[in-house]
Amino acid sequence: MRSLYQRLCWVVCLLLQATVVQAQAPVFYFSVLNQRSATLIAQHWNPILAYVSKKADVDLKLKIGKTAPETTALTIRGEAQFAYTNHLFSPERIKLGWRVIARPDTDGIRGQLVVGKAASIQELAELEGRYVAFPSKESFVGYKVVMNELLRKGVHVMPLFAGNQEGAIGLLKSGKAIAAGVNEDVMLAFSNRESFQYRVLWASESFNDLAVMANPNLVPASIIRAVQKAFVEMRNDAEGKKILAHAAATLKIEQSYGFLMAEDQAYENYRRFYRDSLLKE
Amino acid sequence: MFGVKFNKISLLTRLLVATGFILLVMYPLATSLFIASEVRLYRSLVAGQTDATLESITHAVTEQAVIGDYTAIEQQLKARVAHVPFFAFSFTDPDGGKVRVQAAPPTLTSPTWFRRALSLPDGVIEKQVILGGVQYGTLRASVSHIQFINQAWTDVLSQLTIIGLAIFVLFGVMAATLRHGLLPLQIVTGMAHRLKKGDYQGAVFSSNNTAPEIRETIETFNAAVCREAWLADFAEIISQRNKAHHRIDDVLRLVCRRLQIDVACISFREADGLLQVPAVYTASRRPRMEDWLNLSDTVIERSRMVRAVRQTDRDSFVYVGLPAPIGATLTGVLNLFRFDAEQLDISRTQMELLELCAHWIGVTLAEEIQEQMMSEQKERAEAVLNNAREAIILINEDARVVSFNPAAEEMFGYRSEAIQGGEICQLFPKLTTDATCCHLDRGIHKIVEEMQQHIYGLRADGSEFPIEISFTAVRGMREHMGVAVIRDITERLAAEQVVRRSESRLRRAQRVAQIGEWEYSPMYGELIWSKELSEIFGLSAHTPVAYNQVITMIHPDDRERMALAFAAAVENGGIVEGEFRILRPDQTLRHVSVFGEPSFDDQGRRSSLFGVMQDITERKRVEAKAQTALVDQLAAEARNRSKSQFLANVSHELRTPLNAILGYSEIIEDEAQIANQPEIVEDSKRIQQAGIHLLALINGMLDLSKIEAGRMDLYCDRFDVNALLNEVAATVAPLAAKNANHFSVIRDAKVTEMYTDSVKLRQILFNLIGNACKFTEQGRITLTVQQMKQDGQAWIALVVKDTGIGMNGAQLQRLFEPFIQADASTTQKYGGTGLGLVISQHFCRLMGGAISVESHVGTGSVFTVKLPVEVPALKPVVSEHGQYSSQNNY
C-alpha cells in the first residue's frame, strides 16, 4: 500500500513538472559589451533588464563574456538575442540582420587617445614605436577609430590589449603603456572615480553611444517591439526613473539617462567608418 | 607527635617536598590558563579571518557567476579551501548547478573531552550571491577547528613534558646545591666537636661560591678560633734564626694560607717614588707582575689600609694594601691580591693580625736594608781599593798598616798579609818610627812633614823610588785612621827630564840656526816671541815687543807686502810665508824669512798665529855671490857657443872651395899621368895630400863645433854588428898593411846586433884603429868585441889594442883635449888633426857609453869603447855646454 502511494506521488510530480515546463515563457538573453567589470555590468543592467522584462512581459536575462570580444562572439553565435553594443556595424556583421531598436539618451561617444597629464608626449608622431593600450580589437571608439587615425597619420605603435576600457586605462595608469585609446565617457568616469589626471592627444568625431539591438531572425517582431517600448518608456515611468537613477549611481554617473527610440540610420557614421577605414579586420 | 616527626625531616627533604608540591599544582593551573587564553585569541582571529575570506571568495565567485564560468568558480574555491578553518566550499546556482570543492577533512588526534572542553564546534556558513536584484547562487563554506584543537593538545603535551623535566632537573640542582652549600656548616660542626677535644686543625675555608650567610658564620667561627693559631704560627716564624727575607717570606706564606690570598708581596716607596718589591710570595699562580702591580695611583698612607678592585687586560683582582712603616722617609706596603674575585673579606681579628704582620715586616725590612747598605758600602770601598792605580794604605793610630791594596803590593813589593800590622815607617826610609807612633793627629802631621822633605819610598828589595803622596786623617766613632794615597812618579820624573833635555836641544838648535818662534794673538794684540828673535831684531831679550813695533822695523820696501800677508793670514786663517828685510836699531840690515800658521783652541776656534823667523842674511849673501858666478858662467858659455857657431860656419865655408881644389888636383894628376909629366903628378899628389889633411881637419872641426853647439844628433837603427865589423876590417886592412901591421878581429859569439847610430860607431872604430895603425909599425893591432851584462843592461865593449909607441901619463891626461896630440912632434911625424879622439869621446857619450884608454910608452895602447846594445830611449843628454840634444831622432 505504502509503495503504491509513493509511486503515485512520483507520477503526479512528474506530470506537474512537465506542465510547468510547457507553460514557462521563453528566455531571451541580453548581451552587454564589456566596457566595465562583469560585477559592475550586472549591478547596472540587472535592474534595468528586470524592469524591461516586467513591462514587456518577456524574460530577459543578462549574458556577458569574459571580455568584449567574447561577448561579441557569443552575440554573433546567437547565444544572445538582444545586445547593447556597437560591434555589429561592420559590413560583414550587418549581414547577420541585427537592427537598432533604441539608444541611450546621451551625447554620443568619442574615441580619444590620451596620455598621463605629466607625460612628455605632445604629438601623435611622438608615439611612433611606443606601447599604446587599447581595450580590444573589437572596441570601436577605443581601438578602431583611434588606430585608424594613427594609421592615417603614418604612426605605427605597439598595441597592448587589456580586455576592456578600464583595463586599457589601468595599463596607462601603471605606466606599462605611454598612451591609451579609450571611450571618452569611460575615461571621464574613471578619472572622476579614481582621481586620475590625463591629457587628450586626439579625439574622434562623435558617434552615438552603444545601441540596443535585436536580431529579428531570433526574436519575434512583437517581442522586439515590446522590448523597444519598454526601454523607450522607461524614462517616463516613475519606477523606471528610479531604476535608471540607481543604475547611474552604480556607475557613479551624476545624471541618469534613459533610452530613445532609434533605428539603423542613427548609426550611419559607424557604417561609413567601416567603409573608409584603413584598419583591416 | 607531628611536630617531632617534622623536626626530624632534613632541610633538603623539606625543600624538595615543598618545591615539588608547588610545581605539581601550579604548572597545570598555569597551562590551563594559557590554553584558555589561546582559545580566546584563536576565536577572535578566526572570526575576523572567516569574514574576510568569505568576502573575498564571494567577490571572486560573483564575477565568475555573472559570466557563468563555473570552471573559474571552482578554481577560485580551490585556491582558498585549504585555509584554516575552512575545509570545504560549494556554490549552487538557482538552477541547481553546483560546484563543490573539499580538502581532506582533518583528523582529530586529541581526546574528545579536550575538544568539548574547548567548545569549538564545526559548522557551515552560507552566503547568497545577488547582483542587481538577481540571485546568481548560494555559497557555502564548511568550517572545522580540529587543526587548532590538535595543535593545542600538542602544546599541552609539550608543556607537561617540560614540566616533568624541569621538576627532575630542579630537584637534582637543588639537591647538589644544598649538599655543597651546607658542607661548610658540616665542617664547622665537625671542627667544633674537635675543638671541644682541644684538636684544632686550622681555619675552615669558605669558597667564593659559599652563600654569604654561611660564609659569615664560618668567618665568625674562624675569627674566634684562628687568632690563637695564627699568633702561634707567627711567633714561631719570627723566632727563627734564619735571614730576615726568609722570615718575611714565611710570614707572607702564612698570610696567604690564612686568608686565601693568591699573591702577597712587600713593596716600598722611597722619596723619589720608585716602587720596589723586596719580597713576593704567590700562593696559587703568579701572573705578569707589571700587569697587576701597577698601583702607582694607589697611595698607601701611613697607618691607613687601602682596598681596591682592579681590572687589567689579563686579570681582575681584589687588592688590599696595609702600611708597613720602615723608616721616616720609607714607607713599606704589605700588598695582598686575590684574583678573579670581587671582594676580599677580612675580619677585624684578621685585620689586627695583618697589621701586626705588616708592622713586624716594616721593622725587619728596616734592619735588612740597613745591613744591606752597610754591605754595599763595604763592597764599594773594597772595589775602590782593589782597582785603584795608586797605592792606598790605611794605618791606625799606632801608625801601623791596617790595609794594603794590590797597587801598593805591586808598588812596594810586599804582600798585604806580610805588611799588615807592620809600621808604616819601613815603607818610607827617611821616616822615624818615633815620629809616627804618637797620637794619630800629631803623627800624621809629622809623617807629612817628614815625607815632604824626603819623598821616596822603599821597596821590599831595598830600592828607593820617588813618590807623590796625599794623606788624610779619618775620624771614626771608635777609632781614628789615616789613609795614604801614594803614586810612583819615577816614570814621570824621567819623562820630565827628557822633555827638559829636548827643550834644551831645541833652544840650542834655534840659536845655531838663528831661528826663533813667535805667537801672535790678534784678539788681544799680544805678540810673544823667543829670545832668539830678540837677538835677530837687535832688541833686548827682556824688552816686550808689540806687533806694530815689529812691522815698523821691516824695511820700507817690504813693509806693506808683509803687513798685508800677516793681515790676510789673520783674516782668512791661512799661512803666512815670506822673506823680508829688517832695519835693526843699530841701522844694520838683516834678511829674515818667516813662516806662520793658525793655531786653534780646544773648541776648534782660530786663536792665534804661530810661526818661526830665521835670520837668512848669510844665506842671502852666499846666494848673491853664487848668482854673480852663474851670470859669469852663462856669459862664458854663450861666448863658447858663439865660437863654435863661428867655427862651424867657417869650416863649412872652407870645405866648399877645398872640395873644388881636391877635385881639380885629381884631374890635373890624371892629365899629368896621361901626359907623362911626373913632376906635375907629384905636385898634384902634394896638393891632394894637403887638401885631404885640410879636409880632415875641417871635418873634425865641423864635427867638434857641432858637438859643442849641441847640434850633433843620433840617427839610430838596428844593424848586424858582425857585418859592421867586417866592413871596418876590410876598410882598415890597407891602412894596417901600410906599416906592416897585423890586424885581427876577435869576436864574442853572443854579439849579434845593436841598436845605435852605426855611422858614428863606424867613425869611432875608424879613428881608434886608424890611430893604432898610425902609431904602430910591424906590430899587432887587434879589435876585440865582447858582450856583457851590467846593472841589468846589455853592453858591448870594443877594445882596440896595439903594440905601438904608447903614451906616458902626461900625454894621457891631455889626450881628449881638442887640437891636442900626445906630443907636438907627433903631428909633425904622424900627421892628424888631434880631433879624432875628442870627437870619438863625444860620440860615445851621445850613444850612452864611454871611452877609456890605458897606455904605456913602448908597449902600446888599449882603447876601450863601452856602449849599450840598445840606446836608451828618449834619454836626453846634456852636452858639455849644458844644452840638451835629442839623441834619438828615430
Side-chain angles (χ1 to χ4, degrees):
Chain A
M1 188 66 184
R2 185 175 179 180
S3 176
L4 181 62
Y5 176 73
Q6 285 180 342
R7 286 178 183 178
L8 185 61
C9 288
W10 272 109
V11 171
V12 172
C13 288
L14 287 173
L15 290 174
L16 285 174
Q17 187 174 9
T19 305
V20 169
V21 169
Q22 285 181 352
Q24 199 170 28
V27 177
F28 295 97
Y29 290 97
F30 188 97
S31 67
V32 177
L33 201 63
N34 300 58
Q35 289 181 306
R36 298 176 178 82
S37 69
T39 303
L40 204 57
I41 290 172
Q43 288 175 337
H44 179 80
W45 279 99
N46 277 339
I48 295 174
L49 294 181
Y51 172 83
V52 172
S53 294
K54 187 176 126 183
K55 292 296 182 182
D57 193 18
V58 177
D59 190 3
L60 273 179
K61 290 188 181 299
L62 180 66
K63 190 171 186 69
I64 57 177
K66 293 179 184 175
T67 60
E70 284 188 11
T71 302
T72 301
L74 68 89
T75 304
I76 292 171
R77 286 198 302 268
E79 295 177 15
Q81 293 75 38
F82 292 89
Y84 182 67
T85 181
N86 59 0
H87 286 187
L88 302 176
F89 296 116
S90 64
E92 292 78 12
R93 293 173 184 172
I94 287 174
K95 296 174 184 173
L96 297 176
W98 286 83
R99 293 287 180 268
V100 176
I101 60 173
R103 66 177 183 86
D105 184 13
T106 61
D107 294 335
I109 58 172
R110 294 172 191 272
Q112 288 183 340
L113 191 58
V114 300
V115 295
K117 188 174 184 181
S120 61
I121 302 294
Q122 300 294 334
E123 301 289 342
L124 292 181
E126 294 176 49
L127 296 174
E128 177 72 28
R130 308 293 292 272
Y131 283 108
V132 177
F134 299 100
S136 69
K137 283 189 176 179
E138 293 294 336
S139 172
F140 181 75
V141 293
Y143 173 71
K144 292 179 178 177
V145 174
V146 173
M147 183 58 89
N148 179 60
E149 180 65 17
L150 287 171
L151 292 175
R152 208 171 57 80
K153 293 283 179 62
V155 179
H156 298 85
V157 301
M158 298 174 67
L160 292 175
F161 296 104
N164 58 43
Q165 292 281 347
E166 292 197 353
I169 299 170
L171 291 176
L172 173 66
K173 184 180 178 183
S174 65
K176 291 179 181 174
I178 190 66
V182 295
N183 181 317
E184 178 186 30
D185 293 339
V186 178
M187 185 69 230
L188 182 61
F190 184 90
S191 175
N192 292 334
R193 191 173 76 241
E194 304 291 338
S195 300
F196 175 68
Q197 294 184 317
Y198 64 99
R199 178 156 48 83
V200 178
L201 281 182
W202 175 83
S204 70
E205 63 176 309
S206 178
F207 292 90
N208 280 329
D209 204 346
L210 276 63
V212 178
M213 301 179 77
N215 191 339
N217 298 326
L218 302 176
V219 184
S222 59
I223 293 176
I224 292 175
R225 282 195 297 273
V227 170
Q228 183 182 40
K229 183 180 179 185
F231 269 109
V232 172
E233 292 181 353
M234 188 175 184
R235 60 190 301 181
N236 301 320
D237 181 60
E239 183 184 359
K241 283 182 182 178
K242 186 177 178 183
I243 290 171
L244 287 174
H246 179 266
T250 59
L251 299 182
K252 297 187 178 178
I253 299 172
E254 295 179 358
Q255 180 118 19
S256 62
Y257 60 88
F259 295 90
L260 299 175
M261 177 81 75
E263 295 180 349
D264 290 342
Q265 289 78 4
Y267 290 84
E268 182 57 29
N269 55 355
Y270 279 86
R271 294 185 175 86
R272 187 177 64 249
F273 170 82
Y274 282 117
R275 282 197 305 270
D276 302 336
S277 174
L278 298 178
L279 187 65
K280 302 305 176 188
E281 292 294 335
Chain B
M1 184 175 180
F2 175 75
V4 174
K5 287 183 179 178
F6 182 78
N7 289 337
K8 289 184 179 180
I9 298 173
S10 67
L11 178 60
L12 177 60
T13 306
R14 295 179 198 180
L15 284 173
L16 291 178
V17 170
T19 307
F21 176 75
I22 292 170
L23 288 175
L24 288 173
V25 172
M26 295 304 294
Y27 270 105
L29 180 60
T31 303
S32 302
L33 293 175
F34 171 74
I35 294 299
S37 171
E38 287 290 302
V39 169
R40 282 197 298 275
L41 180 62
Y42 173 77
R43 278 179 173 157
S44 64
L45 287 176
V46 164
Q49 188 174 351
T50 302
D51 292 342
T53 304
L54 275 178
E55 185 67 26
S56 170
I57 292 173
T58 304
H59 179 73
V61 167
T62 302
E63 182 83 9
Q64 305 307 327
V66 172
I67 297 170
D69 189 348
Y70 285 75
T71 304
I73 292 172
E74 185 176 8
Q75 289 175 351
Q76 293 289 344
L77 297 179
K78 279 184 178 176
R80 292 168 173 81
V81 73
H83 292 183
V84 175
F86 302 104
F87 73 95
F89 289 109
S90 66
F91 176 76
T92 307
D93 65 12
D95 298 332
K98 189 173 185 179
V99 175
R100 179 173 176 79
V101 175
Q102 181 173 359
T107 305
L108 183 65
T109 57
S110 58
T112 308
W113 64 265
F114 183 74
R115 184 182 183 184
R116 282 199 296 270
L118 295 184
S119 66
L120 287 171
D122 295 342
V124 177
I125 303 173
E126 283 189 4
K127 189 160 181 121
Q128 301 296 325
V129 180
I130 299 172
L131 277 178
V134 176
Q135 181 178 6
Y136 283 90
T138 304
L139 180 66
R140 291 183 178 84
S142 300
V143 177
S144 173
H145 304 289
I146 291 176
Q147 286 187 352
F148 172 76
I149 294 168
N150 290 341
Q151 183 61 43
W153 177 245
T154 303
D155 292 344
V156 169
L157 291 180
S158 300
Q159 291 189 14
L160 288 174
T161 305
I162 293 172
I163 289 169
L165 287 174
I167 291 172
F168 179 76
V169 173
L170 186 63
F171 280 11
V173 171
M174 285 180 63
T177 305
L178 288 172
R179 280 183 178 279
H180 180 73
L182 295 176
L183 184 61
L185 287 179
Q186 295 176 358
I187 296 173
V188 169
T189 305
M191 189 64 72
H193 288 303
R194 288 183 178 180
L195 278 175
K196 290 178 183 176
K197 301 174 183 177
D199 179 16
Y200 173 67
Q201 296 294 325
V204 177
F205 297 115
S206 58
S207 67
N208 290 332
N209 298 325
T210 304
E213 60 274 22
I214 296 176
R215 192 162 58 220
E216 187 175 354
T217 303
I218 291 172
E219 288 175 357
T220 305
F221 173 80
N222 286 338
V225 301
C226 293
R227 178 184 177 85
E228 293 301 326
W230 187 326
L231 287 175
D233 291 345
F234 181 66
E236 183 182 352
I237 291 170
I238 64 175
S239 64
Q240 290 172 355
R241 290 286 185 178
N242 54 6
K243 291 188 176 181
H245 64 269
H246 289 158
R247 282 178 282 152
I248 292 174
D249 284 346
D250 291 341
V251 169
L252 294 178
R253 191 175 292 112
L254 173 67
V255 169
C256 287
R257 193 173 71 243
R258 295 294 188 199
L259 295 182
Q260 295 178 306
I261 297 297
D262 289 325
V263 175
C265 66
I266 304 298
S267 62
F268 60 85
R269 296 173 189 276
E270 290 181 311
D272 55 3
L274 292 176
L275 182 67
Q276 300 184 33
V277 184
V280 174
Y281 175 74
T282 62
S284 59
R285 58 195 174 93
R286 184 173 182 178
R288 294 165 60 87
M289 290 182 64
E290 60 269 24
D291 287 346
W292 50 267
L293 203 54
N294 184 17
L295 298 166
S296 57
D297 56 339
T298 304
V299 179
I300 309 296
E301 297 179 1
R302 300 173 72 86
S303 70
R304 179 186 170 194
M305 186 187 77
V306 170
R307 293 172 183 263
V309 178
R310 293 302 176 98
Q311 179 74 39
T312 69
D313 294 339
R314 298 172 182 274
D315 306 285
S316 62
F317 58 85
V318 180
Y319 167 75
V320 172
L322 290 96
I326 298 172
T329 61
L330 199 61
T331 299
V333 180
L334 170 59
N335 305 284
L336 305 177
F337 297 89
R338 178 183 288 173
F339 295 96
D340 300 328
E342 296 181 354
Q343 60 182 2
L344 177 60
D345 294 329
I346 301 174
S347 66
R348 179 174 295 178
T349 305
Q350 289 171 335
M351 185 53 66
E352 290 174 1
L353 295 170
L354 278 175
E355 289 174 351
L356 176 63
C357 292
H359 180 73
W360 175 83
I361 287 170
V363 172
T364 307
L365 270 179
E367 293 176 358
E368 178 82 1
I369 292 169
Q370 185 67 24
E371 290 178 3
Q372 190 174 353
M373 289 173 62
M374 290 184 66
S375 174
E376 290 174 356
Q377 285 180 353
K378 186 178 179 182
E379 288 178 0
R380 282 197 291 269
E382 287 180 353
V384 170
L385 285 174
N386 292 334
N387 295 301
R389 296 177 63 183
E390 289 81 10
I392 301 175
I393 303 171
L394 270 64
I395 60 174
N396 59 12
E397 296 178 38
D398 298 330
R400 290 185 180 277
V401 175
V402 174
S403 174
F404 203 71
N405 73 338
E409 289 179 342
E410 184 178 357
M411 187 180 295
F412 287 95
Y414 289 102
R415 297 289 301 167
S416 175
E417 299 79 14
I419 196 65
Q420 280 186 2
E423 296 177 351
I424 192 172
C425 304
Q426 60 183 311
L427 301 176
F428 307 103
K430 303 300 183 184
L431 287 180
T432 59
T433 304
D434 295 340
T436 60
C437 295
C438 302
H439 189 271
L440 184 61
D441 286 347
R442 197 152 51 86
I444 287 172
H445 286 303
K446 188 66 176 177
I447 289 170
V448 173
E449 289 172 4
E450 291 285 345
M451 285 192 296
Q452 284 176 345
Q453 293 171 5
H454 311 284
I455 308 177
Y456 283 94
L458 180 62
R459 295 192 181 92
D461 59 4
S463 60
E464 294 186 2
F465 60 100
I467 61 172
E468 190 177 77
I469 184 170
S470 64
F471 207 97
T472 307
V474 181
R475 293 172 178 274
M477 292 180 65
R478 290 179 292 184
E479 58 181 351
H480 294 178
M481 301 188 75
V483 179
V485 180
I486 303 156
R487 183 180 293 116
D488 185 349
I489 60 173
T490 305
E491 292 181 358
R492 195 181 77 187
L493 290 179
E496 289 175 355
Q497 188 174 7
V498 170
V499 171
R500 281 197 298 274
R501 287 178 181 174
S502 177
E503 284 186 348
S504 174
R505 284 197 298 274
L506 178 61
R507 290 296 171 197
R508 189 175 178 183
Q510 286 184 346
R511 189 169 63 253
V512 171
Q514 293 184 302
I515 295 175
E517 83 272 11
W518 54 270
E519 183 171 11
Y520 173 55
S521 301
M523 186 178 295
Y524 306 106
E526 182 183 31
L527 177 63
I528 300 171
W529 65 10
S530 62
K531 66 180 182 180
E532 286 81 8
L533 287 183
S534 297
E535 291 175 0
I536 292 170
F537 278 74
L539 300 173
S540 171
H542 304 291
T543 303
V545 291
Y547 173 74
N548 291 333
Q549 182 183 359
V550 174
I551 294 297
T552 56
M553 291 180 70
I554 296 175
H555 191 281
D557 293 344
D558 301 334
R559 187 178 299 157
E560 183 178 359
R561 174 171 58 87
M562 293 311 299
L564 290 174
F566 274 102
V570 168
E571 183 69 22
N572 302 323
I575 62 172
V576 58
E577 186 175 16
E579 296 176 356
F580 58 90
R581 294 162 293 177
I582 59 171
L583 283 170
R584 298 178 9 143
D586 58 0
Q587 297 304 310
T588 56
L589 187 68
R590 288 289 184 96
H591 290 268
V592 176
S593 69
V594 62
F595 179 84
E597 61 182 11
S599 295
F600 300 92
D601 58 15
D602 296 339
Q603 283 74 38
R605 293 174 301 191
R606 205 165 56 241
S607 60
S608 63
L609 275 177
F610 177 82
V612 295
M613 288 188 189
Q614 183 178 17
D615 187 346
I616 57 171
T617 306
E618 183 61 21
R619 196 187 80 193
K620 283 291 184 184
R621 190 183 62 76
V622 172
E623 286 178 356
K625 189 176 178 180
Q627 184 70 21
T628 303
L630 179 60
V631 170
D632 294 343
Q633 182 184 352
L634 291 176
E637 288 177 352
R639 286 194 298 274
N640 196 22
R641 279 197 299 276
S642 298
K643 179 196 73 179
S644 299
Q645 185 66 36
F646 172 72
L647 285 175
N649 293 338
V650 168
S651 299
H652 179 74
E653 295 300 327
L654 289 173
R655 193 164 51 180
T656 303
L658 188 55
N659 285 328
I661 292 171
L662 288 173
Y664 280 115
S665 65
E666 288 179 356
I667 294 171
I668 292 171
E669 183 183 356
D670 291 342
E671 289 178 351
Q673 285 180 345
I674 295 171
N676 195 17
Q677 293 177 327
E679 301 84 7
I680 297 174
V681 172
E682 287 297 322
D683 292 340
S684 298
K685 286 185 177 178
R686 290 191 187 95
I687 292 171
Q688 286 183 39
Q689 289 174 351
I692 290 169
H693 176 73
L694 186 58
L695 183 60
L697 180 63
I698 291 169
N699 284 337
M701 289 175 63
L702 190 60
D703 288 341
L704 186 62
S705 64
K706 275 189 175 179
I707 292 167
E708 291 182 344
R711 293 181 178 176
M712 183 59 72
D713 297 329
L714 287 181
Y715 297 94
C716 297
D717 59 351
R718 192 170 298 280
F719 58 90
D720 185 353
V721 178
N722 289 315
L724 183 140
L725 292 175
N726 293 335
E727 183 186 346
V728 171
T731 304
V732 301
L735 189 59
K738 187 176 181 182
N739 290 339
N741 292 321
H742 178 263
F743 176 73
S744 62
V745 179
I746 302 172
R747 309 180 191 196
D748 185 350
K750 292 187 289 186
V751 175
T752 55
E753 60 179 16
M754 289 181 71
Y755 180 80
T756 188
D757 192 333
S758 59
V759 176
K760 290 184 173 56
L761 176 60
R762 188 180 294 110
Q763 190 172 346
I764 291 170
L765 292 176
F766 281 155
N767 276 333
L768 296 178
I769 297 172
N771 285 342
C773 292
K774 192 185 300 178
F775 296 108
T776 305
E777 290 182 357
Q778 298 179 348
R780 294 179 64 85
I781 299 167
T782 57
L783 171 60
T784 306
V785 183
Q786 290 180 323
Q787 186 162 341
M788 64 191 73
K789 277 271 188 180
Q790 188 174 352
D791 298 333
Q793 189 175 3
W795 295 83
I796 285 182
L798 301 147
V799 181
V800 179
K801 183 179 180 181
D802 66 69
T803 57
I805 57 176
M807 291 173 286
N808 59 22
Q811 290 172 325
L812 288 174
Q813 287 184 350
R814 299 169 57 195
L815 190 62
F816 292 103
E817 292 182 7
F819 306 104
I820 296 298
Q821 287 193 328
D823 194 333
S825 60
T826 304
T827 307
Q828 296 174 353
K829 185 178 180 181
Y830 298 101
T833 62
L835 296 176
L837 286 176
V838 177
I839 292 170
S840 295
Q841 186 187 41
H842 280 292
F843 282 176
C844 284
R845 288 176 177 172
L846 278 173
M847 290 187 286
I851 187 169
S852 62
V853 61
E854 290 181 7
S855 184
H856 299 283
V857 176
T859 59
S861 303
V862 178
F863 285 86
T864 302
V865 175
K866 189 177 176 184
L867 295 172
V869 176
E870 300 268 347
V871 175
L874 297 174
K875 182 177 179 181
V877 173
V878 182
S879 70
E880 286 186 340
H881 304 297
Q883 292 189 348
Y884 287 91
S885 172
S886 174
Q887 283 187 334
N888 305 327
N889 294 331
Y890 46 85

